[in-house]
Amino acid sequence: MYTNTIIGDRKIVMSKIKNFIKQDIETNPSLKEEYKQISTSLDLAILLRQKRDKLGMTRKEFAEYLEVSESMIKNIEAETIKAPANLISKIVNITK
């Protein structure tokens, strides 16, 4: 029951956020590209974390697996840097 409440609350919050973004873009169309970039960065951070969790790895282990620094993984998860294209390709192609 509690889990269903949390999921339901998240859906409501996400719906409100999507509506806010839609209205914001309608008011100021130049924000559309900025929102798109933020969304892409968030999607990558979520994907990276999901892959890392699925493999049961720490940030350090995952960084070694991908042959990058631990700080790069941390910063991508925190959305403070953009991942290079070759790293995105590695993350997307993890099949385990």
Side-chain angles (χ1 to χ4, degrees):
M1 178 82 173
Y2 181 71
T3 303
N4 290 338
T5 302
I6 292 172
I7 291 169
D9 289 347
R10 285 183 185 162
K11 286 181 180 179
I12 291 169
V13 170
M14 291 307 295
S15 177
K16 288 180 180 181
I17 291 170
K18 286 179 183 179
N19 286 337
F20 171 81
I21 291 170
K22 183 178 177 182
Q23 290 172 354
D24 205 20
I25 289 171
E26 287 172 359
T27 304
N28 188 352
S30 65
L31 293 174
K32 185 174 185 174
E33 188 59 33
E34 187 175 341
Y35 277 120
K36 184 178 175 183
Q37 289 175 354
I38 291 168
S39 176
T40 301
S41 183
L42 177 60
D43 289 345
L44 179 61
I46 291 168
L47 176 65
L48 188 146
R49 183 61 191 258
Q50 287 173 337
K51 297 280 187 168
R52 185 167 70 80
D53 286 348
K54 187 174 182 180
L55 293 170
M57 293 182 174
T58 64
R59 282 187 183 132
K60 183 177 181 177
E61 293 167 335
F62 198 59
E64 289 171 0
Y65 179 78
L66 293 172
E67 300 174 331
V68 296
S69 68
E70 181 181 357
S71 65
M72 179 173 278
I73 299 300
K74 179 182 176 185
N75 289 326
I76 293 169
E77 286 182 355
E79 300 175 64
T80 57
I81 64 168
K82 292 181 181 180
N86 65 329
L87 180 59
I88 294 170
S89 178
K90 284 182 180 181
I91 294 166
V92 169
N93 290 310
I94 295 172
T95 57
K96 292 182 182 181

Coordinates of all heavy atoms in Angstrom, one line a residue:
M1 N 0.8 -1.2 0.0 CA 0.0 0.0 0.0 C 0.9 1.3 0.0 O 0.6 2.2 -0.8 CB -0.9 0.0 1.2 CG -1.8 1.2 1.4 SD -3.3 1.0 0.4 CE -4.2 2.4 0.9
Y2 N 1.9 1.3 0.9 CA 2.8 2.4 1.0 C 3.5 2.7 -0.3 O 3.6 3.8 -0.8 CB 3.7 2.2 2.1 CG 4.7 3.4 2.3 CD1 4.2 4.6 2.8 CD2 6.0 3.3 2.0 CE1 5.1 5.7 3.0 CE2 6.9 4.3 2.2 CZ 6.4 5.5 2.7 OH 7.3 6.6 2.9
T3 N 4.0 1.6 -1.0 CA 4.7 1.7 -2.2 C 3.8 2.3 -3.3 O 4.2 3.1 -4.1 CB 5.3 0.3 -2.7 OG1 6.1 -0.2 -1.6 CG2 6.0 0.5 -4.0
N4 N 2.6 1.8 -3.4 CA 1.6 2.3 -4.4 C 1.4 3.8 -4.2 O 1.2 4.6 -5.1 CB 0.3 1.6 -4.3 CG 0.5 0.2 -4.8 OD1 1.4 -0.1 -5.6 ND2 -0.4 -0.7 -4.4
T5 N 1.3 4.3 -2.9 CA 1.1 5.7 -2.6 C 2.3 6.5 -3.1 O 2.1 7.5 -3.7 CB 1.0 5.9 -1.1 OG1 -0.1 5.1 -0.6 CG2 0.7 7.3 -0.7
I6 N 3.5 6.0 -2.9 CA 4.7 6.7 -3.3 C 4.7 6.8 -4.9 O 5.0 7.9 -5.4 CB 6.0 6.0 -2.8 CG1 6.1 6.2 -1.3 CG2 7.2 6.6 -3.5 CD1 7.2 5.4 -0.7
I7 N 4.4 5.7 -5.5 CA 4.4 5.7 -7.0 C 3.3 6.6 -7.5 O 3.6 7.4 -8.4 CB 4.2 4.3 -7.5 CG1 5.5 3.4 -7.2 CG2 3.9 4.3 -9.0 CD1 5.3 2.0 -7.5
G8 N 2.2 6.6 -6.9 CA 1.1 7.5 -7.3 C 1.5 9.0 -7.1 O 1.2 9.8 -7.9
D9 N 2.1 9.3 -6.0 CA 2.6 10.6 -5.7 C 3.6 11.1 -6.7 O 3.6 12.2 -7.1 CB 3.1 10.7 -4.3 CG 2.1 10.6 -3.2 OD1 0.9 10.7 -3.5 OD2 2.4 10.4 -2.0
R10 N 4.5 10.2 -7.1 CA 5.6 10.6 -8.0 C 4.9 10.9 -9.4 O 5.3 11.8 -10.1 CB 6.6 9.4 -8.2 CG 7.5 9.3 -7.0 CD 8.6 8.3 -7.3 NE 9.4 8.1 -6.1 CZ 10.1 7.1 -5.8 NH1 10.2 6.1 -6.6 NH2 10.9 7.0 -4.7
K11 N 3.9 10.1 -9.8 CA 3.2 10.3 -11.0 C 2.6 11.7 -11.0 O 2.6 12.4 -12.0 CB 2.2 9.2 -11.3 CG 2.9 7.9 -11.8 CD 1.8 6.8 -12.1 CE 2.5 5.5 -12.5 NZ 1.5 4.5 -12.8
I12 N 2.0 12.0 -9.9 CA 1.3 13.3 -9.8 C 2.3 14.4 -9.9 O 2.1 15.4 -10.7 CB 0.5 13.4 -8.5 CG1 -0.7 12.5 -8.5 CG2 0.0 14.9 -8.2 CD1 -1.4 12.3 -7.2
V13 N 3.4 14.3 -9.2 CA 4.5 15.3 -9.2 C 5.0 15.4 -10.6 O 5.2 16.6 -11.2 CB 5.6 15.0 -8.2 CG1 6.8 15.9 -8.4 CG2 5.0 15.1 -6.8
M14 N 5.3 14.3 -11.3 CA 5.9 14.4 -12.6 C 4.9 15.0 -13.6 O 5.3 15.8 -14.5 CB 6.3 12.9 -13.1 CG 7.5 12.4 -12.4 SD 8.9 13.4 -12.4 CE 9.3 13.4 -14.1
S15 N 3.6 14.7 -13.4 CA 2.6 15.3 -14.3 C 2.6 16.8 -14.1 O 2.5 17.6 -15.1 CB 1.2 14.7 -14.0 OG 0.2 15.3 -14.7
K16 N 2.7 17.3 -12.9 CA 2.7 18.7 -12.6 C 4.0 19.4 -13.2 O 3.9 20.5 -13.7 CB 2.7 19.0 -11.1 CG 1.3 18.7 -10.5 CD 1.3 19.0 -9.0 CE -0.1 18.7 -8.4 NZ -0.2 19.0 -7.0
I17 N 5.1 18.7 -13.1 CA 6.3 19.2 -13.7 C 6.2 19.3 -15.2 O 6.6 20.3 -15.8 CB 7.5 18.3 -13.3 CG1 7.8 18.5 -11.8 CG2 8.8 18.7 -14.1 CD1 8.8 17.5 -11.2
K18 N 5.7 18.2 -15.8 CA 5.5 18.3 -17.3 C 4.6 19.4 -17.7 O 4.9 20.1 -18.7 CB 5.0 16.9 -17.8 CG 6.0 15.9 -17.8 CD 5.4 14.5 -18.3 CE 6.5 13.4 -18.2 NZ 5.9 12.1 -18.6
N19 N 3.5 19.6 -17.0 CA 2.6 20.7 -17.3 C 3.3 22.1 -17.1 O 3.1 23.0 -17.9 CB 1.3 20.7 -16.4 CG 0.4 19.6 -16.8 OD1 0.4 19.1 -18.0 ND2 -0.4 19.1 -15.9
F20 N 4.1 22.2 -16.1 CA 4.8 23.5 -15.8 C 5.8 23.7 -17.0 O 5.8 24.9 -17.5 CB 5.6 23.4 -14.5 CG 6.5 24.6 -14.3 CD1 6.0 25.8 -13.9 CD2 7.9 24.5 -14.6 CE1 6.8 26.9 -13.7 CE2 8.7 25.6 -14.5 CZ 8.2 26.8 -14.0
I21 N 6.5 22.7 -17.4 CA 7.5 22.9 -18.5 C 6.7 23.2 -19.8 O 7.2 24.1 -20.5 CB 8.3 21.6 -18.7 CG1 9.3 21.4 -17.5 CG2 9.1 21.6 -20.0 CD1 10.0 20.1 -17.4
K22 N 5.6 22.6 -20.1 CA 4.8 22.9 -21.3 C 4.4 24.3 -21.3 O 4.5 25.0 -22.3 CB 3.6 21.9 -21.3 CG 2.8 22.1 -22.6 CD 1.7 21.1 -22.6 CE 0.8 21.3 -23.8 NZ -0.3 20.4 -23.9
Q23 N 3.9 24.8 -20.1 CA 3.4 26.2 -20.1 C 4.6 27.1 -20.2 O 4.5 28.2 -20.8 CB 2.7 26.4 -18.7 CG 1.3 25.7 -18.7 CD 0.7 25.8 -17.3 OE1 1.3 26.3 -16.3 NE2 -0.5 25.3 -17.2
D24 N 5.7 26.8 -19.6 CA 6.9 27.6 -19.6 C 7.4 27.8 -21.0 O 7.7 28.9 -21.5 CB 8.0 27.0 -18.7 CG 9.0 28.1 -18.2 OD1 8.7 29.3 -18.2 OD2 10.1 27.6 -17.8
I25 N 7.4 26.7 -21.8 CA 7.8 26.7 -23.2 C 6.8 27.5 -24.1 O 7.2 28.2 -24.9 CB 8.0 25.3 -23.7 CG1 9.3 24.6 -23.1 CG2 8.1 25.3 -25.3 CD1 9.4 23.2 -23.4
E26 N 5.5 27.4 -23.8 CA 4.5 28.1 -24.5 C 4.7 29.6 -24.3 O 4.6 30.4 -25.2 CB 3.1 27.7 -24.1 CG 2.7 26.4 -24.6 CD 1.4 25.9 -24.1 OE1 0.8 26.5 -23.3 OE2 1.0 24.7 -24.5
T27 N 5.1 30.0 -23.1 CA 5.3 31.4 -22.7 C 6.6 31.9 -23.3 O 6.7 33.1 -23.8 CB 5.4 31.6 -21.2 OG1 4.2 31.1 -20.6 CG2 5.5 33.0 -20.8
N28 N 7.6 31.0 -23.3 CA 9.0 31.4 -23.8 C 9.5 30.3 -24.7 O 10.3 29.5 -24.2 CB 9.9 31.8 -22.6 CG 11.2 32.3 -23.1 OD1 11.5 32.4 -24.3 ND2 12.0 32.8 -22.1
P29 N 9.2 30.3 -26.0 CA 9.6 29.2 -26.8 C 11.2 28.9 -26.9 O 11.6 27.8 -27.2 CB 9.1 29.6 -28.2 CG 8.0 30.5 -27.9 CD 8.4 31.2 -26.7
S30 N 11.9 29.9 -26.6 CA 13.4 29.8 -26.6 C 13.9 28.8 -25.5 O 15.0 28.3 -25.6 CB 14.1 31.1 -26.5 OG 13.8 31.7 -25.2
L31 N 13.1 28.5 -24.6 CA 13.4 27.6 -23.5 C 13.4 26.1 -23.9 O 13.9 25.2 -23.3 CB 12.6 27.8 -22.3 CG 12.7 29.1 -21.5 CD1 11.7 29.2 -20.4 CD2 14.1 29.2 -21.0
K32 N 12.7 25.8 -25.1 CA 12.5 24.5 -25.5 C 13.8 23.7 -25.6 O 13.9 22.6 -25.1 CB 11.8 24.4 -26.8 CG 11.4 23.0 -27.3 CD 10.5 23.1 -28.5 CE 10.1 21.6 -28.9 NZ 9.2 21.6 -30.0
E33 N 14.8 24.3 -26.3 CA 16.1 23.6 -26.5 C 16.8 23.4 -25.1 O 17.4 22.3 -24.9 CB 17.0 24.4 -27.4 CG 18.3 23.7 -27.8 CD 18.1 22.4 -28.5 OE1 17.1 22.2 -29.2 OE2 18.9 21.4 -28.2
E34 N 16.7 24.4 -24.2 CA 17.3 24.2 -22.9 C 16.7 23.1 -22.1 O 17.4 22.3 -21.5 CB 17.2 25.5 -22.1 CG 17.9 25.5 -20.8 CD 17.9 26.9 -20.1 OE1 17.6 27.9 -20.8 OE2 18.2 26.9 -18.9
Y35 N 15.4 23.0 -22.1 CA 14.7 21.9 -21.5 C 15.1 20.5 -22.1 O 15.2 19.5 -21.4 CB 13.2 22.1 -21.5 CG 12.6 22.9 -20.4 CD1 11.9 24.1 -20.7 CD2 12.8 22.6 -19.1 CE1 11.4 24.9 -19.7 CE2 12.3 23.4 -18.1 CZ 11.6 24.6 -18.4 OH 11.1 25.4 -17.4
K36 N 15.2 20.5 -23.4 CA 15.6 19.3 -24.1 C 17.0 18.8 -23.7 O 17.2 17.6 -23.4 CB 15.6 19.5 -25.6 CG 15.9 18.3 -26.5 CD 15.8 18.6 -27.9 CE 16.2 17.4 -28.8 NZ 16.1 17.7 -30.2
Q37 N 17.9 19.7 -23.5 CA 19.3 19.4 -23.1 C 19.3 18.9 -21.7 O 20.0 17.9 -21.3 CB 20.2 20.6 -23.2 CG 20.5 20.9 -24.7 CD 21.4 22.2 -24.8 OE1 21.6 22.9 -23.8 NE2 21.8 22.5 -26.0
I38 N 18.5 19.5 -20.8 CA 18.4 19.1 -19.4 C 17.8 17.7 -19.3 O 18.3 16.8 -18.6 CB 17.6 20.1 -18.6 CG1 18.4 21.4 -18.4 CG2 17.2 19.5 -17.2 CD1 17.5 22.6 -17.9
S39 N 16.8 17.5 -20.1 CA 16.1 16.2 -20.2 C 17.1 15.1 -20.6 O 17.1 14.0 -20.0 CB 14.9 16.2 -21.1 OG 14.3 14.9 -21.2
T40 N 17.9 15.3 -21.6 CA 18.8 14.4 -22.1 C 19.9 14.0 -21.1 O 20.2 12.9 -20.8 CB 19.5 14.9 -23.4 OG1 18.5 15.1 -24.4 CG2 20.5 13.9 -23.9
S41 N 20.3 15.1 -20.4 CA 21.3 14.9 -19.3 C 20.7 14.0 -18.2 O 21.4 13.1 -17.6 CB 21.8 16.2 -18.8 OG 22.8 16.1 -17.8
L42 N 19.5 14.3 -17.8 CA 18.8 13.5 -16.8 C 18.6 12.1 -17.2 O 18.9 11.2 -16.4 CB 17.5 14.2 -16.4 CG 16.7 13.4 -15.3 CD1 17.4 13.3 -14.0 CD2 15.4 14.2 -15.1
D43 N 18.2 11.9 -18.4 CA 18.0 10.5 -18.9 C 19.3 9.7 -18.9 O 19.3 8.5 -18.5 CB 17.5 10.5 -20.4 CG 16.1 11.0 -20.5 OD1 15.4 11.1 -19.4 OD2 15.6 11.3 -21.6
L44 N 20.4 10.3 -19.2 CA 21.7 9.7 -19.2 C 22.1 9.3 -17.7 O 22.6 8.2 -17.5 CB 22.8 10.5 -19.9 CG 24.2 9.8 -19.8 CD1 24.2 8.5 -20.6 CD2 25.2 10.8 -20.5
A45 N 21.9 10.3 -16.8 CA 22.2 10.0 -15.4 C 21.4 8.9 -14.9 O 22.0 8.0 -14.2 CB 22.0 11.3 -14.6
I46 N 20.2 8.8 -15.2 CA 19.3 7.7 -14.8 C 19.8 6.4 -15.4 O 19.9 5.4 -14.7 CB 17.8 8.0 -15.1 CG1 17.3 9.2 -14.2 CG2 17.0 6.7 -14.9 CD1 16.0 9.7 -14.7
L47 N 20.1 6.4 -16.7 CA 20.5 5.2 -17.4 C 21.8 4.7 -16.7 O 22.0 3.5 -16.5 CB 20.7 5.4 -18.8 CG 21.3 4.3 -19.7 CD1 20.3 3.1 -19.6 CD2 21.6 4.7 -21.1
L48 N 22.8 5.6 -16.5 CA 24.0 5.2 -15.9 C 23.8 4.6 -14.6 O 24.4 3.5 -14.3 CB 24.9 6.5 -15.8 CG 26.4 6.2 -15.4 CD1 27.3 7.2 -16.1 CD2 26.5 6.3 -13.9
R49 N 23.0 5.2 -13.8 CA 22.8 4.6 -12.4 C 22.1 3.3 -12.5 O 22.4 2.4 -11.7 CB 21.9 5.6 -11.6 CG 21.7 5.2 -10.2 CD 23.0 5.1 -9.4 NE 22.8 4.4 -8.1 CZ 22.8 5.1 -7.0 NH1 23.0 6.4 -6.9 NH2 22.6 4.4 -5.9
Q50 N 21.1 3.1 -13.4 CA 20.4 1.8 -13.5 C 21.4 0.7 -14.0 O 21.4 -0.4 -13.4 CB 19.3 2.0 -14.6 CG 18.1 2.7 -14.1 CD 17.1 3.0 -15.2 OE1 17.4 2.9 -16.4 NE2 15.9 3.2 -14.8
K51 N 22.3 1.0 -14.9 CA 23.2 0.1 -15.4 C 24.2 -0.3 -14.3 O 24.5 -1.5 -14.0 CB 24.0 0.6 -16.6 CG 23.2 0.8 -17.8 CD 22.9 -0.4 -18.6 CE 22.2 -0.1 -19.9 NZ 22.1 -1.2 -20.8
R52 N 24.7 0.7 -13.5 CA 25.6 0.5 -12.4 C 25.0 -0.4 -11.3 O 25.6 -1.3 -10.9 CB 26.1 1.8 -11.9 CG 27.1 1.7 -10.8 CD 27.8 3.0 -10.5 NE 26.9 4.0 -9.8 CZ 26.7 4.0 -8.5 NH1 27.2 3.1 -7.8 NH2 26.0 4.9 -8.0
D53 N 23.7 -0.1 -11.0 CA 23.0 -0.8 -10.0 C 22.8 -2.3 -10.4 O 22.9 -3.2 -9.7 CB 21.7 -0.2 -9.6 CG 21.8 1.1 -8.8 OD1 23.0 1.3 -8.3 OD2 20.9 1.8 -8.7
K54 N 22.4 -2.4 -11.7 CA 22.1 -3.8 -12.2 C 23.4 -4.6 -12.2 O 23.3 -5.8 -11.9 CB 21.6 -3.7 -13.7 CG 21.2 -5.0 -14.3 CD 20.5 -4.8 -15.6 CE 20.0 -6.1 -16.1 NZ 19.4 -6.0 -17.5
L55 N 24.5 -4.0 -12.4 CA 25.8 -4.8 -12.3 C 26.3 -4.9 -10.9 O 27.2 -5.7 -10.6 CB 26.9 -4.1 -13.1 CG 26.6 -4.1 -14.7 CD1 27.6 -3.2 -15.3 CD2 26.8 -5.5 -15.2
G56 N 25.6 -4.2 -9.9 CA 26.0 -4.3 -8.5 C 27.4 -3.7 -8.3 O 28.1 -4.1 -7.4
M57 N 27.7 -2.6 -9.0 CA 29.0 -2.0 -8.9 C 28.9 -0.7 -8.1 O 28.0 0.1 -8.2 CB 29.6 -1.7 -10.2 CG 29.9 -3.0 -11.0 SD 30.7 -2.5 -12.6 CE 31.1 -4.1 -13.2
T58 N 30.0 -0.4 -7.4 CA 30.2 1.0 -6.9 C 30.6 1.9 -8.0 O 30.9 1.5 -9.1 CB 31.4 1.0 -5.8 OG1 32.6 0.7 -6.5 CG2 31.1 0.0 -4.7
R59 N 30.6 3.2 -7.7 CA 31.1 4.1 -8.7 C 32.5 3.8 -9.2 O 32.8 3.9 -10.4 CB 31.0 5.6 -8.2 CG 29.6 6.2 -8.2 CD 29.7 7.6 -7.8 NE 28.4 8.2 -7.7 CZ 27.9 8.9 -6.7 NH1 28.7 9.2 -5.7 NH2 26.7 9.4 -6.7
K60 N 33.3 3.5 -8.2 CA 34.7 3.2 -8.6 C 34.8 2.0 -9.5 O 35.5 2.0 -10.5 CB 35.5 3.0 -7.3 CG 37.0 2.8 -7.5 CD 37.8 2.6 -6.2 CE 39.2 2.4 -6.5 NZ 40.1 2.3 -5.3
E61 N 34.1 1.0 -9.1 CA 34.2 -0.3 -10.0 C 33.6 0.0 -11.4 O 34.1 -0.5 -12.4 CB 33.4 -1.4 -9.3 CG 34.0 -1.9 -8.0 CD 33.0 -2.8 -7.2 OE1 31.8 -2.6 -7.3 OE2 33.5 -3.6 -6.4
F62 N 32.5 0.8 -11.4 CA 31.9 1.1 -12.7 C 32.8 1.9 -13.6 O 32.9 1.7 -14.8 CB 30.5 1.7 -12.5 CG 29.6 1.7 -13.7 CD1 29.2 0.5 -14.2 CD2 29.1 2.9 -14.2 CE1 28.3 0.5 -15.3 CE2 28.3 2.9 -15.3 CZ 27.9 1.7 -15.9
A63 N 33.5 2.9 -12.9 CA 34.4 3.7 -13.6 C 35.6 2.9 -14.2 O 35.9 3.1 -15.4 CB 35.0 4.8 -12.7
E64 N 36.1 2.0 -13.4 CA 37.1 1.1 -13.9 C 36.6 0.2 -15.1 O 37.3 0.0 -16.1 CB 37.7 0.2 -12.8 CG 38.5 1.0 -11.8 CD 38.8 0.2 -10.5 OE1 38.4 -1.0 -10.4 OE2 39.5 0.7 -9.6
Y65 N 35.4 -0.3 -15.0 CA 34.8 -1.1 -16.0 C 34.7 -0.3 -17.3 O 34.9 -0.8 -18.4 CB 33.4 -1.5 -15.5 CG 32.6 -2.4 -16.4 CD1 32.8 -3.7 -16.6 CD2 31.5 -1.8 -17.1 CE1 32.0 -4.5 -17.5 CE2 30.7 -2.6 -18.0 CZ 31.0 -3.9 -18.1 OH 30.2 -4.7 -19.0
L66 N 34.4 1.0 -17.2 CA 34.2 1.8 -18.4 C 35.5 2.5 -18.8 O 35.5 3.3 -19.8 CB 33.1 2.9 -18.2 CG 31.7 2.3 -18.0 CD1 30.7 3.4 -17.6 CD2 31.2 1.7 -19.3
E67 N 36.5 2.4 -18.0 CA 37.8 3.0 -18.2 C 37.8 4.5 -18.2 O 38.3 5.2 -19.1 CB 38.4 2.5 -19.5 CG 38.6 1.0 -19.6 CD 39.1 0.4 -20.9 OE1 38.7 1.0 -21.9 OE2 39.8 -0.6 -20.9
V68 N 37.1 5.0 -17.2 CA 37.0 6.5 -16.9 C 37.3 6.7 -15.5 O 37.4 5.8 -14.7 CB 35.7 7.1 -17.4 CG1 35.5 6.9 -18.8 CG2 34.5 6.5 -16.6
S69 N 37.4 8.0 -15.1 CA 37.6 8.3 -13.6 C 36.3 8.1 -12.9 O 35.2 8.3 -13.4 CB 38.1 9.7 -13.5 OG 37.2 10.6 -13.8
E70 N 36.5 7.8 -11.6 CA 35.3 7.8 -10.7 C 34.6 9.1 -10.6 O 33.4 9.2 -10.6 CB 35.8 7.4 -9.3 CG 34.7 7.2 -8.3 CD 35.1 6.8 -6.9 OE1 36.3 6.6 -6.7 OE2 34.3 6.8 -6.0
S71 N 35.4 10.2 -10.7 CA 34.8 11.5 -10.6 C 33.9 11.8 -11.8 O 32.9 12.5 -11.7 CB 35.8 12.6 -10.4 OG 36.6 12.7 -11.6
M72 N 34.2 11.2 -13.0 CA 33.4 11.4 -14.2 C 32.1 10.8 -14.0 O 31.0 11.3 -14.3 CB 34.1 10.9 -15.4 CG 33.2 11.1 -16.7 SD 34.0 10.6 -18.2 CE 34.9 12.1 -18.5
I73 N 32.1 9.5 -13.4 CA 30.8 8.8 -13.1 C 30.0 9.6 -12.1 O 28.8 9.9 -12.4 CB 31.1 7.4 -12.6 CG1 31.8 6.6 -13.6 CG2 29.8 6.7 -12.2 CD1 31.1 6.4 -15.0
K74 N 30.6 10.1 -11.1 CA 29.9 10.9 -10.1 C 29.3 12.1 -10.7 O 28.1 12.5 -10.4 CB 30.9 11.3 -9.0 CG 30.3 12.1 -7.9 CD 31.3 12.5 -6.8 CE 30.7 13.4 -5.8 NZ 31.7 13.9 -4.8
N75 N 30.1 12.8 -11.5 CA 29.6 14.1 -12.1 C 28.5 13.9 -13.1 O 27.6 14.7 -13.3 CB 30.7 14.9 -12.7 CG 31.6 15.5 -11.6 OD1 31.2 15.8 -10.6 ND2 32.9 15.5 -11.9
I76 N 28.5 12.8 -13.9 CA 27.5 12.5 -14.8 C 26.2 12.1 -14.0 O 25.1 12.6 -14.4 CB 27.9 11.3 -15.8 CG1 29.0 11.7 -16.7 CG2 26.6 10.8 -16.6 CD1 29.6 10.6 -17.4
E77 N 26.3 11.4 -13.0 CA 25.1 11.0 -12.2 C 24.5 12.3 -11.5 O 23.3 12.4 -11.4 CB 25.5 10.0 -11.1 CG 25.7 8.6 -11.6 CD 26.0 7.6 -10.5 OE1 26.2 8.0 -9.3 OE2 26.1 6.4 -10.8
A78 N 25.4 13.2 -11.2 CA 24.9 14.5 -10.6 C 24.5 15.5 -11.6 O 24.1 16.6 -11.3 CB 26.0 15.1 -9.7
E79 N 24.7 15.2 -12.9 CA 24.4 16.1 -14.0 C 25.2 17.4 -14.0 O 24.7 18.4 -14.5 CB 22.9 16.4 -14.1 CG 22.0 15.2 -14.2 CD 20.6 15.6 -14.1 OE1 20.1 16.3 -15.0 OE2 19.9 15.2 -13.1
T80 N 26.4 17.3 -13.5 CA 27.3 18.5 -13.5 C 28.2 18.6 -14.7 O 28.8 19.6 -15.0 CB 28.1 18.6 -12.2 OG1 28.9 17.4 -12.1 CG2 27.2 18.8 -11.0
I81 N 28.3 17.4 -15.5 CA 29.1 17.4 -16.7 C 28.3 16.6 -17.8 O 27.5 15.8 -17.4 CB 30.5 16.9 -16.6 CG1 30.5 15.4 -16.2 CG2 31.3 17.7 -15.6 CD1 31.8 14.7 -16.3
K82 N 28.6 16.9 -19.0 CA 28.1 16.1 -20.1 C 29.1 15.0 -20.4 O 30.3 15.2 -20.4 CB 27.9 17.0 -21.3 CG 26.8 18.0 -21.2 CD 26.6 18.8 -22.4 CE 25.5 19.9 -22.2 NZ 25.3 20.7 -23.4
A83 N 28.5 13.8 -20.7 CA 29.4 12.6 -21.0 C 29.8 12.7 -22.4 O 29.0 13.1 -23.3 CB 28.6 11.4 -20.8
P84 N 31.1 12.3 -22.7 CA 31.5 12.3 -24.1 C 30.8 11.2 -24.8 O 30.3 10.2 -24.3 CB 33.0 11.9 -24.0 CG 33.3 11.8 -22.5 CD 32.1 12.0 -21.7
A85 N 30.7 11.4 -26.2 CA 29.9 10.5 -27.0 C 30.4 9.0 -26.9 O 29.5 8.1 -26.8 CB 29.9 10.9 -28.4
N86 N 31.7 8.8 -26.8 CA 32.2 7.4 -26.7 C 31.8 6.8 -25.4 O 31.5 5.6 -25.4 CB 33.7 7.4 -26.9 CG 34.5 8.1 -25.8 OD1 34.0 9.1 -25.2 ND2 35.7 7.6 -25.6
L87 N 31.7 7.5 -24.4 CA 31.2 7.0 -23.1 C 29.7 6.7 -23.1 O 29.3 5.6 -22.6 CB 31.6 7.9 -21.9 CG 31.1 7.4 -20.5 CD1 31.8 6.1 -20.2 CD2 31.5 8.4 -19.5
I88 N 29.0 7.5 -23.7 CA 27.5 7.3 -23.8 C 27.3 6.0 -24.6 O 26.5 5.1 -24.2 CB 26.8 8.5 -24.6 CG1 26.9 9.7 -23.7 CG2 25.4 8.1 -24.9 CD1 26.4 11.0 -24.4
S89 N 28.1 5.8 -25.6 CA 28.0 4.5 -26.4 C 28.3 3.3 -25.6 O 27.6 2.3 -25.6 CB 28.9 4.6 -27.6 OG 28.9 3.4 -28.4
K90 N 29.3 3.4 -24.8 CA 29.7 2.3 -23.9 C 28.6 2.0 -22.9 O 28.2 0.8 -22.7 CB 31.0 2.6 -23.1 CG 32.2 2.5 -23.9 CD 33.4 2.8 -22.9 CE 34.7 2.7 -23.6 NZ 35.9 2.9 -22.7
I91 N 28.0 3.0 -22.3 CA 26.9 2.9 -21.3 C 25.7 2.2 -22.0 O 25.1 1.3 -21.4 CB 26.6 4.2 -20.6 CG1 27.8 4.7 -19.8 CG2 25.3 4.1 -19.8 CD1 27.6 6.2 -19.4
V92 N 25.3 2.7 -23.1 CA 24.1 2.2 -23.8 C 24.3 0.8 -24.2 O 23.3 0.0 -24.1 CB 23.8 3.1 -25.0 CG1 22.7 2.5 -25.9 CG2 23.3 4.5 -24.5
N93 N 25.5 0.4 -24.5 CA 25.7 -1.0 -25.1 C 26.1 -2.0 -24.0 O 26.4 -3.1 -24.3 CB 26.8 -0.9 -26.1 CG 26.3 -0.3 -27.4 OD1 25.3 -0.6 -27.9 ND2 27.1 0.7 -27.9
I94 N 26.0 -1.6 -22.7 CA 26.2 -2.6 -21.7 C 25.0 -3.6 -21.7 O 23.9 -3.1 -21.6 CB 26.3 -2.0 -20.3 CG1 27.5 -1.1 -20.2 CG2 26.3 -3.0 -19.2 CD1 27.6 -0.3 -18.9
T95 N 25.3 -4.9 -21.9 CA 24.2 -5.8 -22.1 C 23.9 -6.7 -20.9 O 23.0 -7.5 -20.9 CB 24.5 -6.7 -23.3 OG1 25.8 -7.4 -23.0 CG2 24.6 -6.0 -24.6
K96 N 24.7 -6.6 -19.8 CA 24.5 -7.5 -18.6 C 23.4 -7.0 -17.8 O 23.0 -5.8 -17.8 CB 25.8 -7.5 -17.8 CG 26.9 -8.2 -18.5 CD 28.1 -8.2 -17.6 CE 29.3 -8.9 -18.3 NZ 30.4 -8.9 -17.4

